[in-house]
Amino acid sequence: MKKCIFVMAALMLVSGTGIKAQNFTKTTLKLQGVEMVETMSDDGMSMTKRPYRWFAGMAEADVQSVAVEMAQLEAYATVSRVIENLVVAKAERGTVAVSGRVQKALKSHWEQMSMSIQKACEPFGDTEVTYNSETGLYEVIAKVGIRGDRYVRLLDGAKDAKPDGLSGDDLQQFIDINETIIDAAKGN
């Protein structure tokens, strides 16, 4: 109860005419997801629905084109953060005892995978641009996406990794953790 009162007090402004609450808006924003999209067939002769894996980024700037570009760059960076979080969750917080060599090999392998996924991504969906007249800034949310079949093909290719310098138990730990990362990246 004391926390609630403190938080409410922190949200109040004292003015010459009395106490006034500031208006706040709650927004929920997904930074990654999967969406079915209508796109051209492989032969380019018809439209078909395909799943895309997408990642979002946000930015603001006083020039609209700069804000859009920054948001797109942030969306590409989201790819790396999502994958890095999977690696940390499965390798460093996992139940498997991981040696320093295994951790380094996993990190190196998934940094390369992250770059491959980023390169396969392209601008995706609508870019949301809002101009805030009070601040004079453009607030932008942009997405990048990769076709689902390409995303899964890249992840499946990650299964074959056998880092140099790992053998025996270390190699088996790498393989086991690598598979859990791949499953998590696929949403399994």
Side-chain angles (χ1 to χ4, degrees):
M1 185 68 177
K2 288 182 181 180
K3 262 187 177 178
C4 182
I5 293 171
F6 176 75
V7 170
M8 288 301 295
L11 297 176
M12 306 292 267
L13 276 173
V14 179
S15 68
T17 59
I19 298 175
K20 171 174 105 178
Q22 287 186 347
N23 294 326
F24 289 92
T25 303
K26 179 181 174 182
T27 304
T28 302
L29 177 66
K30 286 180 66 173
L31 294 179
Q32 60 174 320
V34 176
E35 189 173 324
M36 289 298 288
V37 177
E38 193 167 5
T39 184
M40 272 194 284
S41 63
D42 290 334
D43 65 6
M45 300 303 289
S46 62
M47 299 300 285
T48 185
K49 285 218 174 232
R50 296 178 192 221
Y52 270 73
R53 179 80 160 90
W54 59 264
F55 305 88
M58 300 179 301
E60 59 181 26
D62 57 355
V63 176
Q64 182 176 343
S65 61
V66 171
V68 169
E69 186 174 337
M70 287 172 49
Q72 286 177 337
L73 290 172
E74 185 62 27
Y76 283 106
T78 300
V79 175
S80 292
R81 282 193 299 275
V82 167
I83 290 173
E84 182 179 327
N85 288 341
L86 286 173
V87 172
V88 168
K90 301 301 179 190
E92 295 176 2
R93 294 184 213 143
T95 56
V96 178
V98 181
S99 74
R101 291 186 315 201
V102 174
Q103 283 179 323
K104 284 181 182 178
L106 284 165
K107 184 175 182 192
S108 174
H109 172 63
W110 283 98
E111 283 174 353
Q112 291 174 6
M113 283 302 303
S114 171
M115 292 300 294
S116 295
I117 292 169
Q118 285 179 10
K119 287 179 181 178
C121 285
E122 59 189 342
F124 176 80
D126 295 331
T127 299
E128 297 177 26
V129 179
T130 306
Y131 180 72
N132 184 333
S133 59
E134 289 183 22
T135 62
L137 297 175
Y138 291 91
E139 299 166 356
V140 178
I141 300 171
K143 294 179 185 176
V144 296
I146 178 173
R147 248 177 46 186
D149 59 331
R150 292 179 182 155
Y151 180 71
V152 170
R153 200 169 32 244
L154 281 169
L155 292 175
D156 285 344
K159 287 181 184 177
D160 300 329
K162 305 267 189 297
D164 293 335
L166 293 184
S167 60
D169 288 343
D170 285 346
L171 180 58
Q172 190 57 50
Q173 284 182 347
F174 176 91
I175 291 168
D176 293 343
I177 295 169
N178 193 44
E179 286 181 15
T180 62
I181 294 168
I182 292 167
D183 287 344
K186 288 181 180 179
N188 298 339

